Amino acid sequence: MNHTEQAHLVRTVTEEIYEAYPYLWEKFGQNGRDRTEEDNHHHLDHLAAAYEMRSVDFFMDYTDWLNNVLTSRNVPTGLIIDNFQRLVRLLDGQSLVDEDEKRMFIVYLEQALKRLHTLNER
């Protein structure tokens, strides 16, 4: 995914999240929005690394780590699930330079979502 594609995707998913959950403004303010954008860049960077290594396990380890960090900061697993679901939908609807990379990003995100749903049920 090139820089322009990534920047567009990160902006769109962040806008959608803050539109769907306006209480996030009250709870976290501009800093929270900035962190959401930063987190989404990290999600996509880790997806790219997993794609390069052809390793879903790499992304699953990142997902576990992410869930531990964010839940310790009072961000529920459900918001991570929502974020990843939005990434899947937006990726699926976006034309990218590397369509194989996009397909694998979606596969990795779907695997991570299964894990997160399991964690969320605990």
Side-chain angles (χ1 to χ4, degrees):
M1 173 176 296
N2 67 40
H3 179 73
T4 302
E5 293 168 336
Q6 183 172 346
H8 173 73
L9 184 56
V10 165
R11 265 193 319 275
T12 303
V13 76
T14 301
E15 288 170 6
E16 283 190 9
I17 289 169
Y18 272 78
E19 185 175 306
Y21 303 100
Y23 77 89
L24 292 174
W25 276 111
E26 295 169 23
K27 187 171 183 179
F28 299 110
Q30 183 63 45
N31 184 57
R33 184 181 171 94
D34 294 345
R35 296 296 71 77
T36 300
E37 285 189 7
E38 184 179 304
D39 288 349
N40 275 279
H41 279 288
H42 290 307
H43 303 338
L44 295 172
D45 290 344
H46 280 81
L47 283 165
Y51 174 73
E52 290 298 319
M53 294 186 294
R54 303 291 194 250
S55 174
V56 69
D57 291 336
F58 179 81
F59 193 70
M60 297 303 279
D61 289 345
Y62 168 73
T63 298
D64 290 339
W65 172 84
L66 175 70
N67 187 63
N68 287 333
V69 169
L70 292 183
T71 56
S72 76
R73 295 178 180 160
N74 297 317
V75 176
T77 301
L79 279 179
I80 304 166
I81 290 169
D82 180 87
N83 192 146
F84 281 13
Q85 288 172 332
R86 290 175 192 281
L87 285 172
V88 168
R89 179 180 48 77
L90 292 167
L91 279 165
D92 193 43
Q94 188 172 342
S95 180
L96 301 180
V97 171
D98 188 337
E99 288 293 316
D100 183 59
E101 180 184 53
K102 176 178 94 170
R103 182 181 58 80
M104 293 309 299
F105 280 17
I106 291 170
V107 168
Y108 296 158
L109 284 162
E110 288 173 342
Q111 289 296 312
L113 282 163
K114 288 178 186 175
R115 170 89 45 91
L116 289 167
H117 279 294
T118 300
L119 294 172
N120 198 40
E121 292 170 0
R122 293 183 184 166

